[in-house]
């Protein structure tokens, strides 16, 4: 009985760590893309403003 509980908890823990890593990587990627787009807008600021 205790072994089943231990295996279940281990799988849940591993799944949570994997999900956390995926969320972290996607957040960093999104942040980098936002910065790149902001830099592009700043470079073309004179063309955009009227």
């Amino acid at each position: 009985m205790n072994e089943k509980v231990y295996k279940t908890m281990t799988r849940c823990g591993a799944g949570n760590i994997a999900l956390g890593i995926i969320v972290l990587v996607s957040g960093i990627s999104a942040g980098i893309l936002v910065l790149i787009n902001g830099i592009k807008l700043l470079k073309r600021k004179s063309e955009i403003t009227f």
Side-chain angles (χ1 to χ4, degrees):
M1 182 68 170
N2 288 337
E3 189 174 334
K4 284 184 178 182
V5 173
Y6 179 75
K7 284 184 179 182
T8 302
M9 289 175 66
T10 303
R11 288 182 187 145
C12 287
N16 286 336
I17 290 172
L19 183 62
I21 291 170
I22 291 169
V23 168
L24 180 69
V25 169
S26 63
I28 291 172
S29 300
I32 290 171
L33 289 174
V34 167
L35 285 173
I36 290 171
N37 286 329
I39 291 169
K40 286 180 182 179
L41 284 173
L42 286 174
K43 283 184 179 179
R44 295 185 177 212
K45 183 179 177 181
S46 62
E47 297 174 12
I48 296 171
T49 56
F50 298 108

